[in-house]
Amino acid sequence: MEEPVSAESPEQPERISDAEHAVMEALWQRAPLTASEVCEQVCGTRGWSLATVKTLLSRLVAKQAVATAPDGKRFLYSPRIARQDYVGTESRRLVDRLFGGRAAPLFAHLAEADALTEEDIAEIEALLQELKS
């Protein structure tokens, strides 16, 4: 099985759709998994069939986001990118696309929309204090 690649590497996969992301979350929680095991985790809540999961896994393999390893007559699937790297890349894309590459307008938008809890604000304040130190 291949090791996860950094999101910064030239092998960074194409963008992952929302449906593909659900499959990735299952793999990030516990891998390697068979297609049936992935389906056990996501099919019920999403209303998907095993065929849907297999299609999504095939797409993720083609995008080099997931690695496969034969296991008898079945395949085991594992993420090739770490969740933390994926979140970092997607966060950067969001900030770049919607806020001109600046994080401050994102926080301002969340504050204006009352989307930040007191706990969120306390965590942000603590992070800012760490950055200043």
Side-chain angles (χ1 to χ4, degrees):
M1 199 87 45
E2 299 176 40
E3 290 295 313
V5 294
S6 167
E8 301 302 318
S9 80
E11 297 178 37
Q12 180 179 347
E14 298 173 37
R15 292 215 52 199
I16 295 171
S17 71
D18 288 342
E20 292 163 347
H21 181 257
V23 170
M24 290 299 295
E25 285 292 345
L27 293 172
W28 283 321
Q29 287 177 15
R30 184 174 59 97
L33 294 173
T34 65
S36 295
E37 291 169 330
V38 172
C39 189
E40 287 172 13
Q41 297 218 8
V42 299
C43 287
T45 57
R46 297 269 183 163
W48 292 346
S49 67
L50 179 58
T52 301
V53 169
K54 286 182 177 181
T55 297
L56 293 169
L57 285 166
S58 293
R59 288 181 191 166
L60 289 165
V61 169
K63 292 179 178 184
Q64 299 182 8
V66 169
T68 62
D71 184 44
K73 292 185 177 188
R74 62 188 188 167
F75 285 96
L76 295 175
Y77 297 90
S78 296
R80 290 193 68 226
I81 56 173
R83 187 179 191 285
Q84 182 176 348
D85 290 339
Y86 173 76
V87 168
T89 299
E90 286 301 302
S91 298
R92 183 82 254 157
R93 283 179 177 163
L94 172 76
V95 170
D96 288 347
R97 190 177 76 231
L98 298 180
F99 299 99
R102 297 186 54 239
L106 167 63
F107 288 109
H109 173 76
L110 292 172
E112 290 168 4
D114 292 326
L116 298 175
T117 65
E118 289 297 322
E119 186 178 304
D120 291 332
I121 293 168
E123 286 181 41
I124 292 167
E125 288 174 339
L127 288 170
L128 290 173
Q129 284 301 322
E130 281 182 40
L131 289 172
K132 287 180 180 181
S133 301

